Amino acid sequence: MNTQLKKGNLIQFYLIQSILRRNSLRQLRTKPNHHYNDKYRTRNTKEDNQQDDLFLYKGKGQHLLTNQRILDSIVRNSSINPTDTVLEIGPGTGNLTLKLLDVASKVVAVEIDKRMVGVLNKRVKEHGFEDKLSVIRADALKAEFPKFDLVVANIPYGISSPLVAKLVYGANPFRSATLLLQKEFARRLLAKPGDSEFNRLAVNVKLVADVEFVMNVSKRDFVPVPKVDSSVVIIRPKDRIPDVNLDEWWAFTKHCFGKKNKTLGATFKQKKKVIELFRLSKLTSSNGEEMNRNQYVCADDDGDNEEESDGEECHSSSCADRELLLFKEKIIEVLKAGSFEDKRPSKLCNEELLYLLSMLNQSGIYFHEQTKPRNVDDVAFAAAYS
């Protein structure tokens, strides 16, 4: 009897040890380390007969939307016609792609990860859609997009801002872009003057497009689960946009929204900003002659120059000081004339900002070197960041 009890106790002891050991190993496997701290392992569904393991990189924004109801809703809200070509950016393993292929004439998918491309092509072929899919394996920010009618995509969080700018300011016309974005980013796009989220990005996008909220998406609908929730928005390019020099507009909004809650009077009275605008205005003046760099460098010198200078140099510096003072007064006069001196950029709508820019330009105050040719590759980045 005692022997049986001892055996029973030993069996129970080893079972407990085995369970504890298994739990410990599970914790070790899921504990982040310097090799896999942003990787997540997933297995494709049996429905698609895929058995390959795939590491997803959270740091690269690889979060796959798996909720079929949300996927269907995105496609439905996109209003895709049977003749449409749809551009999808970051298709991943194809959960959204398959639904797009079912209703569109063609899908152009831009994916940088060759592993994803392999899985995507395999799944699409199994569903008989291979003739309707064109895959571009490239960085979406650098890739040249072919012609398309619509954009429908789950955008990687890390490239949301420049990618949205690339779409709305790009050379390809399109009807609408239905985008799944980080919720906080979507709120910035949707923000109105006076909202705490209102920023330069919203101002630049709304100059050329309208943004509509569709729905929120829980982080639990993704694999792996991201840290934040998402939102779906639809961006529709405007039929008519204001007649404004875009380089000048982007530079102007950058100046204004550097401190968006500061009054415009306080912003444009800063010595450093006055000197910068003074130089740009000289460069873009009617005679096109570049000013002497020493003039505005000397004027920005707050220290005493112990080196001896001849009368001509002193006279030059003195002239520069007077020119800067007159230029500063001209800026303030424009602000006062339009009742903008005490207003803050965060509370101004696009119409007001356009009016202010027009007044400043008419007075010979510029924010971008007009003679400098535009670098097309930098358009998205110039428009995106606040």
Side-chain angles (χ1 to χ4, degrees), residues 195-217:
D195 294 344
S196 59
E197 296 92 352
F198 191 62
N199 61 98
R200 183 181 171 226
L201 173 69
V203 166
N204 286 336
V205 170
K206 288 179 181 179
L207 180 74
V208 295
D210 295 313
V211 186
E212 175 191 343
F213 171 79
V214 178
M215 62 181 170
N216 289 321
V217 180

mmCIF file of all heavy atoms in Angstrom, residues 195-217:
data_model
loop_
_atom_site.group_PDB
_atom_site.id
_atom_site.type_symbol
_atom_site.label_atom_id
_atom_site.label_comp_id
_atom_site.label_asym_id
_atom_site.label_seq_id
_atom_site.Cartn_x
_atom_site.Cartn_y
_atom_site.Cartn_z
ATOM 1 N N ASP A 195 -9.315 72.207 -33.862
ATOM 2 C CA ASP A 195 -9.126 70.898 -33.222
ATOM 3 C C ASP A 195 -7.678 70.761 -32.763
ATOM 4 O O ASP A 195 -6.762 71.302 -33.397
ATOM 5 C CB ASP A 195 -9.447 69.760 -34.189
ATOM 6 C CG ASP A 195 -10.917 69.719 -34.581
ATOM 7 O OD1 ASP A 195 -11.727 70.363 -33.875
ATOM 8 O OD2 ASP A 195 -11.247 69.052 -35.574
ATOM 9 N N SER A 196 -7.473 70.035 -31.675
ATOM 10 C CA SER A 196 -6.110 69.863 -31.168
ATOM 11 C C SER A 196 -5.223 69.111 -32.155
ATOM 12 O O SER A 196 -4.010 69.293 -32.176
ATOM 13 C CB SER A 196 -6.142 69.118 -29.821
ATOM 14 O OG SER A 196 -6.749 67.843 -29.973
ATOM 15 N N GLU A 197 -5.832 68.255 -33.001
ATOM 16 C CA GLU A 197 -5.060 67.460 -33.964
ATOM 17 C C GLU A 197 -4.776 68.213 -35.262
ATOM 18 O O GLU A 197 -4.045 67.722 -36.120
ATOM 19 C CB GLU A 197 -5.807 66.161 -34.302
ATOM 20 C CG GLU A 197 -5.996 65.202 -33.143
ATOM 21 C CD GLU A 197 -7.317 65.451 -32.437
ATOM 22 O OE1 GLU A 197 -7.973 66.468 -32.779
ATOM 23 O OE2 GLU A 197 -7.684 64.663 -31.550
ATOM 24 N N PHE A 198 -5.377 69.405 -35.420
ATOM 25 C CA PHE A 198 -5.211 70.147 -36.675
ATOM 26 C C PHE A 198 -3.744 70.485 -36.892
ATOM 27 O O PHE A 198 -3.075 70.986 -35.998
ATOM 28 C CB PHE A 198 -6.042 71.421 -36.639
ATOM 29 C CG PHE A 198 -6.146 72.120 -37.962
ATOM 30 C CD1 PHE A 198 -6.734 71.500 -39.051
ATOM 31 C CD2 PHE A 198 -5.656 73.407 -38.123
ATOM 32 C CE1 PHE A 198 -6.840 72.143 -40.282
ATOM 33 C CE2 PHE A 198 -5.753 74.064 -39.343
ATOM 34 C CZ PHE A 198 -6.350 73.422 -40.419
ATOM 35 N N ASN A 199 -3.239 70.214 -38.085
ATOM 36 C CA ASN A 199 -1.800 70.294 -38.328
ATOM 37 C C ASN A 199 -1.528 70.574 -39.800
ATOM 38 O O ASN A 199 -2.444 70.664 -40.623
ATOM 39 C CB ASN A 199 -1.132 68.976 -37.918
ATOM 40 C CG ASN A 199 -1.676 67.810 -38.738
ATOM 41 O OD1 ASN A 199 -1.072 67.401 -39.714
ATOM 42 N ND2 ASN A 199 -2.832 67.287 -38.364
ATOM 43 N N ARG A 200 -0.250 70.681 -40.130
ATOM 44 C CA ARG A 200 0.154 70.999 -41.496
ATOM 45 C C ARG A 200 -0.253 69.908 -42.486
ATOM 46 O O ARG A 200 -0.603 70.198 -43.644
ATOM 47 C CB ARG A 200 1.669 71.209 -41.541
ATOM 48 C CG ARG A 200 2.188 71.615 -42.910
ATOM 49 C CD ARG A 200 3.696 71.790 -42.893
ATOM 50 N NE ARG A 200 4.196 71.958 -44.250
ATOM 51 C CZ ARG A 200 5.250 71.329 -44.731
ATOM 52 N NH1 ARG A 200 5.924 70.489 -43.966
ATOM 53 N NH2 ARG A 200 5.647 71.529 -45.968
ATOM 54 N N LEU A 201 -0.207 68.661 -42.072
ATOM 55 C CA LEU A 201 -0.596 67.562 -42.956
ATOM 56 C C LEU A 201 -2.044 67.728 -43.407
ATOM 57 O O LEU A 201 -2.353 67.624 -44.596
ATOM 58 C CB LEU A 201 -0.416 66.225 -42.242
ATOM 59 C CG LEU A 201 -0.937 65.003 -43.001
ATOM 60 C CD1 LEU A 201 -0.081 64.724 -44.215
ATOM 61 C CD2 LEU A 201 -0.979 63.786 -42.088
ATOM 62 N N ALA A 202 -2.951 67.993 -42.459
ATOM 63 C CA ALA A 202 -4.364 68.169 -42.791
ATOM 64 C C ALA A 202 -4.552 69.345 -43.732
ATOM 65 O O ALA A 202 -5.331 69.284 -44.699
ATOM 66 C CB ALA A 202 -5.171 68.375 -41.515
ATOM 67 N N VAL A 203 -3.835 70.439 -43.490
ATOM 68 C CA VAL A 203 -3.926 71.633 -44.331
ATOM 69 C C VAL A 203 -3.498 71.318 -45.764
ATOM 70 O O VAL A 203 -4.169 71.689 -46.725
ATOM 71 C CB VAL A 203 -3.054 72.769 -43.743
ATOM 72 C CG1 VAL A 203 -2.858 73.882 -44.752
ATOM 73 C CG2 VAL A 203 -3.687 73.322 -42.480
ATOM 74 N N ASN A 204 -2.384 70.623 -45.914
ATOM 75 C CA ASN A 204 -1.858 70.321 -47.247
ATOM 76 C C ASN A 204 -2.728 69.329 -48.011
ATOM 77 O O ASN A 204 -2.927 69.459 -49.218
ATOM 78 C CB ASN A 204 -0.432 69.798 -47.141
ATOM 79 C CG ASN A 204 0.569 70.888 -46.818
ATOM 80 O OD1 ASN A 204 0.326 72.056 -47.090
ATOM 81 N ND2 ASN A 204 1.685 70.526 -46.228
ATOM 82 N N VAL A 205 -3.235 68.317 -47.313
ATOM 83 C CA VAL A 205 -4.087 67.329 -47.975
ATOM 84 C C VAL A 205 -5.415 67.959 -48.387
ATOM 85 O O VAL A 205 -5.901 67.755 -49.506
ATOM 86 C CB VAL A 205 -4.321 66.109 -47.055
ATOM 87 C CG1 VAL A 205 -5.400 65.192 -47.639
ATOM 88 C CG2 VAL A 205 -3.033 65.320 -46.868
ATOM 89 N N LYS A 206 -5.997 68.766 -47.490
ATOM 90 C CA LYS A 206 -7.313 69.347 -47.772
ATOM 91 C C LYS A 206 -7.263 70.455 -48.818
ATOM 92 O O LYS A 206 -8.302 70.887 -49.309
ATOM 93 C CB LYS A 206 -7.931 69.858 -46.474
ATOM 94 C CG LYS A 206 -8.371 68.719 -45.561
ATOM 95 C CD LYS A 206 -8.970 69.208 -44.268
ATOM 96 C CE LYS A 206 -9.376 68.028 -43.400
ATOM 97 N NZ LYS A 206 -9.943 68.445 -42.106
ATOM 98 N N LEU A 207 -6.075 70.897 -49.170
ATOM 99 C CA LEU A 207 -5.966 71.856 -50.270
ATOM 100 C C LEU A 207 -6.404 71.208 -51.576
ATOM 101 O O LEU A 207 -7.004 71.867 -52.428
ATOM 102 C CB LEU A 207 -4.514 72.342 -50.404
ATOM 103 C CG LEU A 207 -4.260 73.348 -51.524
ATOM 104 C CD1 LEU A 207 -4.820 74.720 -51.146
ATOM 105 C CD2 LEU A 207 -2.763 73.454 -51.836
ATOM 106 N N VAL A 208 -6.128 69.911 -51.732
ATOM 107 C CA VAL A 208 -6.376 69.233 -53.006
ATOM 108 C C VAL A 208 -7.367 68.078 -52.915
ATOM 109 O O VAL A 208 -7.716 67.477 -53.931
ATOM 110 C CB VAL A 208 -5.047 68.701 -53.592
ATOM 111 C CG1 VAL A 208 -4.128 69.857 -53.946
ATOM 112 C CG2 VAL A 208 -4.343 67.750 -52.616
ATOM 113 N N ALA A 209 -7.832 67.737 -51.693
ATOM 114 C CA ALA A 209 -8.708 66.573 -51.550
ATOM 115 C C ALA A 209 -9.648 66.726 -50.359
ATOM 116 O O ALA A 209 -9.385 67.500 -49.431
ATOM 117 C CB ALA A 209 -7.866 65.300 -51.390
ATOM 118 N N ASP A 210 -10.749 65.969 -50.404
ATOM 119 C CA ASP A 210 -11.682 65.879 -49.275
ATOM 120 C C ASP A 210 -11.470 64.544 -48.574
ATOM 121 O O ASP A 210 -11.217 63.520 -49.228
ATOM 122 C CB ASP A 210 -13.128 65.988 -49.764
ATOM 123 C CG ASP A 210 -13.429 67.344 -50.374
ATOM 124 O OD1 ASP A 210 -13.065 68.362 -49.751
ATOM 125 O OD2 ASP A 210 -14.025 67.385 -51.473
ATOM 126 N N VAL A 211 -11.575 64.549 -47.254
ATOM 127 C CA VAL A 211 -11.351 63.333 -46.470
ATOM 128 C C VAL A 211 -12.629 62.979 -45.711
ATOM 129 O O VAL A 211 -13.209 63.826 -45.026
ATOM 130 C CB VAL A 211 -10.188 63.504 -45.472
ATOM 131 C CG1 VAL A 211 -9.882 62.173 -44.777
ATOM 132 C CG2 VAL A 211 -8.944 64.033 -46.183
ATOM 133 N N GLU A 212 -13.060 61.719 -45.837
ATOM 134 C CA GLU A 212 -14.299 61.254 -45.197
ATOM 135 C C GLU A 212 -14.003 60.083 -44.256
ATOM 136 O O GLU A 212 -13.292 59.142 -44.622
ATOM 137 C CB GLU A 212 -15.300 60.822 -46.271
ATOM 138 C CG GLU A 212 -16.579 60.199 -45.731
ATOM 139 C CD GLU A 212 -17.427 59.547 -46.810
ATOM 140 O OE1 GLU A 212 -17.191 59.848 -48.001
ATOM 141 O OE2 GLU A 212 -18.296 58.724 -46.470
ATOM 142 N N PHE A 213 -14.560 60.145 -43.056
ATOM 143 C CA PHE A 213 -14.426 59.035 -42.109
ATOM 144 C C PHE A 213 -15.401 57.925 -42.473
ATOM 145 O O PHE A 213 -16.563 58.188 -42.802
ATOM 146 C CB PHE A 213 -14.692 59.531 -40.691
ATOM 147 C CG PHE A 213 -14.797 58.426 -39.667
ATOM 148 C CD1 PHE A 213 -13.660 57.821 -39.162
ATOM 149 C CD2 PHE A 213 -16.035 57.985 -39.230
ATOM 150 C CE1 PHE A 213 -13.750 56.792 -38.229
ATOM 151 C CE2 PHE A 213 -16.140 56.962 -38.287
ATOM 152 C CZ PHE A 213 -14.988 56.369 -37.786
ATOM 153 N N VAL A 214 -14.944 56.660 -42.389
ATOM 154 C CA VAL A 214 -15.804 55.515 -42.697
ATOM 155 C C VAL A 214 -16.112 54.710 -41.439
ATOM 156 O O VAL A 214 -17.272 54.540 -41.062
ATOM 157 C CB VAL A 214 -15.158 54.599 -43.762
ATOM 158 C CG1 VAL A 214 -16.044 53.374 -44.029
ATOM 159 C CG2 VAL A 214 -14.931 55.373 -45.055
ATOM 160 N N MET A 215 -15.080 54.229 -40.747
ATOM 161 C CA MET A 215 -15.304 53.420 -39.545
ATOM 162 C C MET A 215 -14.004 53.213 -38.786
ATOM 163 O O MET A 215 -12.910 53.387 -39.339
ATOM 164 C CB MET A 215 -15.889 52.050 -39.916
ATOM 165 C CG MET A 215 -14.980 51.216 -40.798
ATOM 166 S SD MET A 215 -15.713 49.627 -41.226
ATOM 167 C CE MET A 215 -14.562 49.050 -42.478
ATOM 168 N N ASN A 216 -14.137 52.840 -37.518
ATOM 169 C CA ASN A 216 -12.989 52.458 -36.703
ATOM 170 C C ASN A 216 -12.809 50.940 -36.761
ATOM 171 O O ASN A 216 -13.778 50.192 -36.938
ATOM 172 C CB ASN A 216 -13.192 52.891 -35.251
ATOM 173 C CG ASN A 216 -13.104 54.398 -35.084
ATOM 174 O OD1 ASN A 216 -12.281 55.050 -35.719
ATOM 175 N ND2 ASN A 216 -13.945 54.959 -34.238
ATOM 176 N N VAL A 217 -11.578 50.502 -36.607
ATOM 177 C CA VAL A 217 -11.254 49.070 -36.647
ATOM 178 C C VAL A 217 -10.424 48.730 -35.408
ATOM 179 O O VAL A 217 -9.404 49.376 -35.152
ATOM 180 C CB VAL A 217 -10.466 48.695 -37.922
ATOM 181 C CG1 VAL A 217 -10.142 47.206 -37.923
ATOM 182 C CG2 VAL A 217 -11.258 49.080 -39.166
#
